[in-house]
Amino acid sequence: MNTRTTPHRTPVPTDPGSGQLSAPFAEAVLAHAGRDWLRLNVPGHAAAPGSDLAGFLGSRITALDFPPLLDGIDLGADTPLDRARALAAEAWGARRTWFLTNGASQGNQIASMVAPSLGRTLVVQRSVHSSVTDGLVLSGMDAVFVQPSVDPAQGIAHGVTAADVAAALERTPDAAAVYIVSPSYFGAVADVRALADTAHAAGVPLIVDEAWGSHFGFHPALPPCALSLGADLVTSSTHKLAGSLTQSAMLHLAEGPFADRLEALVDRAFRLVQSTSASALLTASLDLARRSLATDPAAIARSVEAADRVRGAVRALGRFRVVSDGFPAFPDIVGPDPLRIALDTRAGGITGHEARRLLFRDHQVMVEVATDAAIVAVIGAGSVPDTDRFLEALHTLPSPLTGSGPVPAAVSHLPVPGPAKLTAREAFLSPTRVLPAERAVGRISADTLAAYPPGIPNVLPGEVITAEVVRFLQRTATAPNGHVRGAVDRGVTRLRVVD
């Protein structure tokens, strides 16, 4: 039976006369920076205008860099920080919002740490970010993984269906929660409403890693945010597309039958993993990003229009393909994030890795990520970059069509993970040894290994290492800009296994 009794709120409507126009924490920090302080406290740069840091970053930044626990900023009752967090909760339609200064990874770790209060096993989308795996190590929970759909042409993972989650819940009587990702790194949006209904029918909450969807719900052209669709706990990587500084994020708790039980636990787990020296700069940027999202829908519309122009031009020119045009073929995808521009570069005669390298080196154009087959560019909510420059650079890339450039390699398909023999925590804390990669095949991994970005684990602690996985990770490591998070060495020539 569905346990939901309280409807979820939708993000606050944009109203120029509303309190969303204020940024109480940022304004308080700015006011403090304008006073003539003798700073005999941390940070050690003391906002000295002649310091190397001020010379590099500018004295305005160092003047705004205050430590926590200051009257008039975050100490006492009804502080500017309290008001800023309340405005964020109102904007996203949450019961309560926490500001994070260690990224959405911190939010995923918190969510994983509180789940044991609800059961023994997490039902988890297998293509979650590696920080969710880190949370499993911290919590010690068992996990039942739901495999995502995979685009064989692109070699990328998308999402999971409600039917697959329901099947996993049926075989998991001690389930604590369902943990999914939406949107994916390539912008695939899951059917969060159906997934929430499925989780609630089984009496468990839905946790959503909405790291890439912090802007959702703030304009009609954007998908609804996960909270408005029934999610119970949502990680929001505000710095990604909502405009706050790198490493800043939010964690949102919804109203509903799980809220009373989770709120105090989330607050305690937050204190375990949040720095006691949280950055005022990161926190202020969250306050300002929220204000921009909630009060300037016209800016978001311009960003969506810019992204649409890029996709339209790519289709018209015909050399490359738009990856999201193929999303309707997958039952787990209900739509794309319009601010994500994923392009199949192999269709234009060049690998994604080579395209990214040449865009960076020859055109000073940075894109978010590359795979063998594609590149992904993003446009932040409120940003309108020079899309003509990007399109021109993209279409001057060499290819066999012009008689130059490398012949594109075959897509490196995502490897099937090996079977799990231990929990993530058991494997992580077991005695280990480091072996040459070829000798590690068939052994149990003690580490999380993830081709990064996007940081989706290819090997989890407790899983058997396969030859296919080793080949995939080594190929990733040798690609331009390739990196394997958690590897013992850069080339993945050695692996840490349970002894």
Side-chain angles (χ1 to χ4, degrees), residues 14 234 475 487:
T14 52
V234 175
R475 179 170 178 173

Side-chain angles (χ1 to χ4, degrees), residues 386-427:
D386 186 347
T387 53
D388 288 341
R389 177 181 170 186
F390 172 56
L391 285 164
E392 181 179 359
L394 183 68
H395 286 85
T396 58
L397 293 174
S399 80
L401 300 178
T402 60
S404 62
V407 175
V411 172
S412 184
H413 293 287
L414 293 173
V416 176
K421 298 295 186 180
L422 299 172
T423 68
R425 184 180 180 89
E426 288 169 341

Side-chain angles (χ1 to χ4, degrees), residues 212 214-215 237-243 337 339-340 378-381:
W212 281 100
S214 54
H215 54 298
S237 193
T238 323
H239 74 89
K240 284 186 165 64
L241 290 182
D337 174 6
L339 296 184
R340 206 79 53 86
V378 298
I379 294 180

Side-chain angles (χ1 to χ4, degrees), residues 92 102-106 108 129 131 181-185 209-216 235-250 285-286 289 293 337 339-340 368 377-383 452-455:
W92 270 271
N102 198 29
S105 294
Q106 181 185 349
N108 284 330
H129 190 263
S131 57
V181 179
S182 181
S184 72
Y185 211 91
D209 179 356
E210 197 176 41
W212 281 100
S214 54
H215 54 298
F216 282 11
T235 296
S236 177
S237 193
T238 323
H239 74 89
K240 284 186 165 64
L241 290 182
S244 62
L245 290 175
T246 297
Q247 202 173 311
S248 59
M250 298 185 192
S285 77
L286 288 169
L293 280 177
D337 174 6
L339 296 184
R340 206 79 53 86
E368 177 59 31
V378 298
I379 294 180
S383 171
Y452 202 94

Side-chain angles (χ1 to χ4, degrees), residues 42-43 66-70 74 81 99 101-102 106 268-280 283:
V42 297
F66 287 104
L69 301 179
L70 291 178
D74 64 342
L81 178 58
F99 284 0
T101 55
N102 198 29
Q106 181 185 349
R268 291 168 64 197
F270 167 79
R271 289 195 294 271
L272 280 178
V273 295
Q274 174 80 329
S275 171
T276 55
S277 302
S279 167
T283 303

